[in-house]
Amino acid sequence: MSQDSLREEVLTARRIVVKVGSSSLTTAAGGLDADRVDALVDALAKVRNRPDAPEVVLVSSGAIAAGLAPLGLDKRPKDLARQQAAASVGQGLLVARYTASFARYGIRVGQVLLTAEDASRRAHYRNAYRTLDQLLAMGAMPIVNENDTVATAEIKFGDNDRLAALVAHLVRADLLVLLSDVDGLYDGDPSRPGTSRIARVGGPHDLDGIEIGSAGKAGVGTGGMVTKVEAARIATGAGIPVVLTAASHAADALAGRPTGTLFLRTGARTSDRMLWLAHASSPRGALHLDAGAVDAVVSGGASLLPAGVTKVDGEFAAGDPVDLLGENGHIVARGLVNFDARELPRLLGRSTRDLAQEFGAAYEREVVHRDDLVVLRG
């Protein structure tokens, strides 16, 4: 294959995040598949040993799946307590297996456990970046996973694909590689005759009319193509191209060969804070806006003032993330609120000048400042 036919987005990447799903590491009955783990490690070590070796961060699912068989579970449990128990047992097994496999190449590994909520807090975010950056500087292979033993919604939604996109942004990666049990995005169910792999996605319009499946074939993960396409949307929108392919094609993907589906970058790198607010924060409540406020926030780049809020939902404190809803109830933005939920009802529909006169200068401020607000829908 000529150099011209290789993917430049891969060859020029100096820092790469690779994400692998549970179904690519384990058997359908649960438990790690040593051969699959070794094959992935072989591919990653080959990249690390290149003369122009890029830095690599591995985001690995598989903790819960790895813990099923040792605990005598024949399938992934539905209740949170047993999921967390399986994660507790499986995470140790997963990292131990990676440690032994990478040791064949003299590569040390470092475990980093994150949750979306941790990542949305600025101090934790900075600490995560420093830890990952230092591991890379010291030649170690960071292995990132969600902290499933304490997570709640993260386990329920199985969002390691989204986590990988956010980690790619966090470490300032040049490329995200999503490894699955399917060799790319297809224009229909890959098991049906007549469907074909989509080699390149230039933007959301390229996916119009495409049927996107959910569950993986092995049945031990919770993601699927929907979460991978969403992760690709997050990463490419922040200026990071994405390759989606099968774990068995990892070596080809990392060598720049045209395997799987390449998602081209659609935007420029955005601020860390806004990306995490949009995709990693957990809203504590919602504010309903009138039509004028929606237009000011979405189209005018304005802050949200008390006069534009018509209703308050939920229990939240000042500084918490909240969703901003239009008159039809759809989410239009998310932001960090400046008031407690119990304070807001008496402020609704009133001007900041009137509020300052009645309650003091502390109330002459925005409900959500535009610097703490990200538009989610036009």
Side-chain angles (χ1 to χ4, degrees):
M1 181 177 292
S2 71
Q3 190 76 8
D4 291 340
S5 64
L6 299 178
R7 287 170 170 163
E8 182 181 359
E9 294 84 355
V10 177
L11 297 179
T12 59
R14 306 317 311 148
R15 183 172 283 185
I16 302 172
V17 171
V18 177
K19 186 268 178 181
V20 63
S22 299
S23 59
S24 300
L25 298 173
T26 59
T27 66
L32 290 171
D33 185 321
D35 290 339
R36 289 184 174 189
V37 174
D38 286 348
L40 173 63
V41 169
D42 291 344
L44 298 179
K46 186 175 182 179
V47 173
R48 285 276 304 255
N49 289 333
R50 291 195 325 225
D52 59 342
E55 296 173 323
V56 179
V57 175
L58 176 61
V59 177
S60 177
S61 298
I64 294 177
L68 297 182
L71 291 177
L73 299 170
D74 58 359
K75 61 182 179 180
R76 184 186 179 97
K78 295 182 179 179
D79 62 289
L80 182 60
R82 287 194 300 168
Q83 288 179 13
Q84 291 176 321
S88 178
V89 172
Q91 185 63 34
L93 295 171
L94 183 66
V95 173
R97 189 70 198 90
Y98 275 128
T99 299
S101 192
F102 275 111
R104 296 178 297 140
Y105 295 95
I107 298 174
R108 299 175 300 278
V109 305
Q111 176 180 253
V112 180
L113 297 178
L114 299 173
T115 66
E117 183 174 3
D118 286 339
S120 67
R121 299 176 184 272
R122 176 170 277 185
H124 292 201
Y125 171 90
R126 289 174 176 167
N127 287 339
Y129 171 75
R130 283 196 291 262
T131 299
L132 289 164
D133 196 55
Q134 190 61 53
L135 283 169
L136 292 170
M138 298 178 75
M141 171 72 69
I143 299 178
V144 182
N145 196 0
E146 281 194 286
N147 193 352
D148 289 337
T149 59
V150 299
T152 52
E154 289 79 11
I155 288 179
K156 181 178 179 182
F157 294 109
D159 239 356
N160 259 5
D161 292 311
R162 180 180 63 143
L163 178 64
L166 296 170
V167 168
H169 193 272
L170 167 66
V171 300
R172 296 165 172 77
D174 304 304
L175 177 72
L176 171 62
V177 178
L178 299 173
L179 301 177
S180 179
D181 53 359
V182 181
D183 66 339
L185 178 63
Y186 280 71
D187 56 8
D189 186 340
S191 64
R192 296 176 189 165
T195 57
S196 57
R197 177 172 57 87
I198 301 171
R200 182 180 293 242
V201 176
H205 57 280
D206 288 345
L207 300 180
D208 290 345
I210 300 299
E211 176 186 346
I212 300 175
S214 53
K217 293 185 292 186
V220 293
T222 58
M225 199 54 67
V226 171
T227 62
K228 290 166 179 56
V229 171
E230 174 63 12
R233 185 186 69 81
I234 294 171
T236 56
I240 303 168
V242 176
V243 174
L244 167 62
T245 192
S248 58
H249 297 170
D252 285 341
L254 291 167
R257 298 185 180 94
T259 181
T261 302
L262 172 65
F263 294 80
L264 301 177
R265 59 176 65 87
T266 59
R269 181 176 175 86
T270 186
S271 78
D272 297 331
R273 196 160 180 248
M274 291 300 100
L275 192 82
W276 289 86
L277 179 60
H279 300 292
S281 62
S282 299
R284 302 292 194 269
L287 305 179
H288 295 255
L289 281 56
D290 62 27
V294 169
D295 185 61
V297 166
V298 172
S299 303
S303 299
L304 176 62
L305 301 177
V309 183
T310 60
K311 182 182 175 184
V312 178
D313 293 333
E315 295 293 331
F316 50 82
D320 282 344
V322 296
D323 283 335
L324 310 186
L325 310 181
E327 292 182 308
N328 56 7
H330 294 161
I331 300 172
V332 297
R334 182 172 298 156
L336 304 179
V337 67
N338 285 326
F339 296 93
D340 296 344
R342 57 181 174 78
E343 292 182 279
L344 280 172
R346 62 177 179 170
L347 312 182
L348 304 188
R350 303 182 62 183
S351 72
T352 53
R353 179 178 297 179
D354 288 345
L355 292 172
Q357 290 177 347
E358 182 172 349
F359 301 116
Y363 286 83
E364 193 174 9
R365 68 183 192 274
E366 307 85 352
V367 175
V368 178
H369 192 277
R370 64 183 178 184
D371 291 342
D372 296 322
L373 183 153
V374 59
V375 174
L376 300 179
R377 186 173 303 167

